[in-house]
Amino acid sequence: MTTNTPAATAAAIPTVRPQNPNFSSGPCAKRPGWSLDALKDAPLGRSHRAKVGKTKLKAAIDKTREVLGVPADYRIGIVPASDTGAVEMALWSLLGARPITMLAWESFGSGWITDVVKQLKLDATVIEAPYGELPDLAKVDTDTDVVFTWNGTTSGVRVPNGDWIKADRQGLTICDATSAAFAMDLPWDKLDVTTFSWQKVLGGEGAHGVLILSPRAVERLESYKPAWPLPKIFRMTKGGKLIEGIFVGETINTPSMLCVEDYIDALDWAASIGGGKGLIKRSEANFAALQAWVDKTDWVENLAGDAAVRSCTSVCLKIVDPWFAGLDKDAQAGVPKAIASLLEKQGIAYDINGYRDAPAGLRIWCGATVETSDVEALTGWLDWAFAQVKAELVSKAA
């Protein structure tokens, strides 16, 4: 790292502004060129059970399969309550038949541990790592049912690949892929349950989740009945057989057809730029632009120390300036908050403060709907904002 960053002294206000200041990690920026006109064909005021509604929902499922490259024998369903609802459906419906391993390295993975251990009251092997790190995945027994996040949205740490998952595993892999799907290569042969929300990488509207089941997961659903009652919105079988309608557009509860139309629009855009590979390329380019700035900046570093596990979507940064290290914990938490507030007031970047449970720092979304030129423009403003906040706090302390 060099020490010639503008933040080391007085930073001049940058002249280039991001065209789109939306760097939130969810809901995320809309696709380039999006406008409300994209939703003009939404069947508003119509039942989702009518032919037009079912057709739209089926189209969303089919386009999801195409863009993500989901195998033909995997089921894809649109379910309630965003990614959280999709994960809960899997946990409550599938766990309890085999030993369980829970993995966590950030807040959402920790939340799934709470649900399984304290709510479902199941015995589980719990393997955790601190923010910024991964546990030793080679030691995970995939003959147990394994629950994990592919990308830690609040830690900026992702699973690098699926090599640690056995092809002939006896257990199911249940993967929360909400900030990974559409931006990272997911090995479908290693994933039995995959969940995400389209509000992340595709910038869709909230409240809807997607649940993808492998044939092995379907077999578990049809052969295993949990010891606890299942709420209606979690039920995926009837009479011991999968409710196939869920996976062709007959949703469990009423979806927003406006949100579905928005998702279809995002999927069509994705297809127009090269599908899944095109989306991954855009996310990686955005991350590379931000990382190039981090590498030459002395006041900030990645929360994830190992480059192999750094997220290309929810990029989490920590402040390492010696002045910052000398502050107490409360004062440290106030610095990234002040940077985020200053940039929001300038209309430069919205929602970039780190997650409330994560170490104090910044979190910048680099998913596919963000333009690389906006990431590049943002970096100069980050230097400027840090210099402003530091100067103000130093002055107050003097």
Side-chain angles (χ1 to χ4, degrees):
M1 284 190 181
T2 64
T3 57
N4 61 354
T5 172
T9 55
I13 190 165
T15 57
V16 179
R17 302 169 62 91
Q19 294 298 304
N20 185 348
N22 295 327
F23 294 98
S24 163
S25 291
C28 301
K30 308 300 287 184
R31 64 154 175 91
W34 182 91
S35 73
L36 284 171
D37 189 59
L39 310 182
K40 65 181 184 298
D41 291 332
L44 304 183
R46 294 297 306 275
S47 171
H48 62 292
R49 298 184 180 90
K51 183 177 180 180
V52 63
K54 288 183 179 179
T55 299
K56 289 284 188 180
L57 289 161
K58 180 64 162 53
I61 290 171
D62 291 345
K63 291 174 186 287
T64 299
R65 187 182 304 278
E66 178 184 353
V67 172
L68 286 179
V70 178
D73 57 350
Y74 280 48
R75 269 75 160 195
I76 303 174
I78 296 171
V79 300
S82 194
D83 175 67
T84 301
V87 174
E88 297 288 11
M89 286 178 71
L91 300 183
W92 283 69
S93 299
L94 294 166
L95 294 183
R98 297 187 63 83
I100 303 164
T101 300
M102 305 292 300
L103 306 179
W105 42 86
E106 48 93 55
S107 59
F108 288 100
S110 296
W112 306 141
I113 291 172
T114 296
D115 286 354
V116 170
V117 175
K118 294 186 178 180
Q119 301 301 321
L120 290 174
K121 301 187 184 305
L122 293 170
D123 290 330
T125 298
V126 175
I127 302 175
E128 297 181 273
Y131 276 85
E133 298 179 21
L134 277 181
D136 185 353
L137 297 176
K139 295 181 179 179
V140 176
D141 181 4
T142 53
D143 284 335
T144 67
D145 291 338
V146 181
V147 181
F148 69 103
T149 56
W150 191 273
N151 182 75
T153 311
T154 66
S155 69
V157 175
R158 65 172 168 181
V159 174
N161 53 57
D163 295 351
W164 55 282
I165 301 171
K166 295 195 302 184
D168 61 347
R169 62 193 175 280
Q170 297 300 304
L172 298 180
T173 50
I174 300 176
C175 175
D176 173 357
T178 197
S179 55
F182 300 107
M184 302 173 194
D185 188 20
L186 299 177
W188 295 108
D189 61 322
K190 299 296 184 71
L191 303 178
D192 295 302
V193 179
T194 308
T195 70
F196 64 86
S197 166
W198 59 54
Q199 67 170 311
K200 295 292 187 181
V201 178
L202 290 187
E205 297 306 299
H208 299 75
V210 175
L211 176 70
I212 303 177
L213 303 177
S214 74
R216 299 181 69 247
V218 172
E219 191 279 330
R220 171 75 65 82
L221 283 170
E222 293 183 335
S223 63
Y224 166 67
K225 183 177 181 180
W228 45 85
L230 289 178
K232 180 179 180 180
I233 61 171
F234 288 179
R235 297 174 202 158
M236 290 182 279
T237 60
K238 184 175 182 180
K241 293 295 183 182
L242 190 72
I243 303 173
E244 293 285 359
I246 296 172
F247 304 96
V248 294
E250 296 172 11
T251 54
I252 295 173
N253 73 334
T254 304
S256 163
M257 297 311 299
L258 193 66
C259 291
V260 171
E261 190 71 23
D262 188 58
Y263 181 46
I264 291 173
D265 171 72
L267 288 166
D268 286 341
W269 168 75
S272 75
I273 63 166
K277 291 182 179 180
L279 294 169
I280 291 171
K281 184 178 179 180
R282 284 180 62 92
S283 292
E284 290 181 343
N286 290 336
F287 170 66
L290 186 61
Q291 187 62 44
W293 168 77
V294 172
D295 288 341
K296 68 179 182 180
T297 302
D298 63 355
W299 64 268
V300 70
E301 290 180 359
N302 299 87
L303 182 58
D306 182 357
V309 302
R310 290 174 186 161
S311 170
C312 66
T313 55
S314 55
V315 183
C316 295
L317 305 174
K318 60 182 179 180
I319 298 172
V320 295
D321 187 89
W323 159 80
F324 179 83
L327 301 176
D328 62 38
K329 186 175 181 180
D330 289 341
Q332 286 184 344
V335 173
K337 184 177 181 180
I339 292 172
S341 177
L342 182 57
L343 292 180
E344 181 169 343
K345 289 177 182 177
Q346 293 286 333
I348 296 299
Y350 299 144
D351 312 314
I352 64 168
N353 191 22
Y355 191 72
R356 61 180 180 270
D357 295 332
L362 300 169
R363 181 171 61 153
I364 298 165
W365 184 255
C366 289
T369 56
V370 174
E371 297 281 25
T372 302
S373 57
D374 284 341
V375 176
E376 293 170 340
L378 172 64
T379 59
W381 287 91
L382 290 169
D383 281 329
W384 173 81
F386 175 72
Q388 298 301 308
V389 170
K390 178 180 177 180
E392 181 178 353
L393 292 177
V394 168
S395 177
K396 285 182 178 180

